[in-house]
Amino acid sequence: MPHDSIKEELIGLLRDSREQASFLGELGVENIALGSSSTQNAAAPPAITAAAEAAIRMAPPANQQPALQVPRRQTSPASPPSADSLFSEAATTAPSLAKSSETLEQIWTDIGECTRCGLCEGRTQVVNTHGNRNARLMFVGEAPGADEDAQGKPFVGRAGQLLTKMIEAMGMKRENVIIGNVNRCRPPGNRQPTLEEAAICRPFLFREIAAIQPEVIVVMGNTALRNLLEEREGISRVRGKFRDFRGIKVMPTFHPAYLLRDPSKKRETWEDLKMVRDFLDGTPSRQD
Ligand code: URA
């Protein structure tokens, strides 16, 4: 190998390991070589996994109906969609998502004080997508928790603080990106939204995606994965490979709340985020 390419490779490795050290270090991972944390709670199993993976296995196959069918405003909880319709808007075989001329405000006005599903009963407020509407990168999580419900913004609690560190480790700022959830109302006891609740709420996320047109979406955890991609496997099987959501690149990775429970997954998450960073670094911004 010529001298210069060895040098470049070494510089690259050094950069990667420095960034990884900073990411893992900031997250409280002291034993970088082992990829595990002295603060790791090895005894705590990821509560989401069994239920989520069972739900994924039971989920109906996607069909290929047209996308972006959005329930209109209702004054009483919507009746749940049929199982067959749950994946209709997420079908990855559907054509590319055309840029819509809707503004986020128009979408949020349409959402209003939403009562389309039963989650409205326990929430303090609707938590809409938040961040830079010209962002190249979007993050999508599951649903607001207690802090988000109180403050009206996604990812402001402990998981949100970790997400901010992840974004910064990528060399970006939180203000550069946009962050949303599949569901906008806090589920009671922070339970996972049901398939029906997710199917009622996600068309608004799809409308936002069409309006924002991010170049990459990072889906965090099983709920986001299942609702954006035609995917029955769990996040640990599909993470780390770019997928497609209607012409937009999607990177599935672990949810930051899961990383808080199992810090050993930070190393893989960092690998996924580096792929996203490298893709964005190597692709001219659509706005340039
Ligand atoms: N977890 C999520 O999935 N979303 C939030 O906004 C906060 C925690």
Side-chain angles (χ1 to χ4, degrees):
M1 198 185 284
H3 190 255
D4 277 355
S5 34
I6 295 175
K7 200 167 132 198
E8 265 171 35
E9 197 166 310
L10 284 174
I11 290 170
L13 283 171
L14 196 64
R15 187 179 77 142
D16 279 358
S17 69
R18 243 198 343 249
E19 285 162 342
Q20 187 188 35
S22 120
F23 172 65
L24 297 173
E26 280 194 40
L27 304 178
V29 180
E30 281 149 26
N31 190 347
I32 291 166
L34 294 175
S36 64
S37 166
S38 58
T39 58
Q40 180 175 342
N41 179 2
I48 194 172
T49 310
E53 301 223 352
I56 289 161
R57 277 197 299 279
M58 285 162 56
N63 64 25
Q64 296 173 16
Q65 291 171 11
L68 300 175
Q69 294 168 346
V70 178
R72 305 320 297 174
R73 189 102 180 256
Q74 291 176 230
T75 50
S76 59
S79 52
S82 72
D84 280 349
S85 71
L86 287 180
F87 278 79
S88 56
E89 313 91 344
T92 52
T93 46
S96 293
L97 203 58
K99 170 137 181 75
S100 88
S101 55
E102 275 193 308
T103 64
L104 296 185
E105 281 73 18
Q106 284 167 335
I107 300 166
W108 298 338
T109 301
D110 197 10
I111 294 167
E113 294 300 313
C114 185
T115 55
R116 292 171 181 86
C117 84
L119 292 184
C120 65
E121 282 157 29
R123 70 151 192 254
T124 305
Q125 55 192 313
V126 172
V127 177
N128 285 318
T129 298
H130 188 263
N132 186 332
R133 50 192 76 193
N134 297 315
R136 302 179 72 197
L137 178 58
M138 180 171 198
F139 288 85
V140 175
E142 179 175 288
D147 294 304
E148 292 75 21
D149 180 60
Q151 294 184 42
K153 284 190 197 150
F155 283 96
V156 291
R158 275 185 75 221
Q161 285 158 21
L162 181 52
L163 177 59
T164 304
K165 287 178 181 159
M166 289 157 58
I167 294 165
E168 287 170 359
M170 295 171 78
M172 303 177 87
K173 293 195 167 70
R174 199 170 152 130
E175 307 87 83
N176 300 145
V177 307
I178 190 149
I179 304 173
N181 282 307
V182 172
N183 275 88
R184 286 156 205 261
C185 296
R186 182 191 180 198
N190 295 338
R191 69 162 168 75
Q192 195 181 15
T194 65
L195 292 173
E196 287 81 6
E197 288 159 352
I200 288 168
C201 208
R202 73 179 172 210
F204 297 109
L205 177 67
F206 295 170
R207 279 168 63 181
E208 287 172 336
I209 293 170
I212 299 160
Q213 292 278 318
E215 288 164 49
V216 180
I217 302 173
V218 175
V219 293
M220 303 180 290
N222 280 318
T223 298
L225 169 72
R226 190 178 63 225
N227 281 283
L228 260 84
L229 300 178
E230 190 181 338
E231 182 55 68
R232 300 295 175 274
E233 297 280 7
I235 195 78
S236 33
R237 280 179 188 262
V238 303
R239 56 146 285 276
K241 283 190 209 89
F242 276 115
R243 305 285 297 269
D244 175 80
F245 172 67
R246 316 235 359 232
I248 297 173
K249 270 187 138 45
V250 172
M251 174 58 75
T253 197
F254 293 112
H255 192 289
Y258 179 86
L259 298 180
L260 290 172
R261 293 193 296 271
D262 184 355
S264 71
K265 297 292 189 290
K266 287 171 189 165
R267 177 180 289 280
E268 289 157 86
T269 307
W270 176 233
E271 293 304 320
D272 305 343
L273 297 180
K274 273 197 299 181
M275 275 187 255
V276 171
R277 180 202 63 190
D278 292 349
F279 171 79
L280 290 172
D281 282 356
T283 314
S285 163
R286 283 201 207 131
Q287 282 152 31
D288 290 344

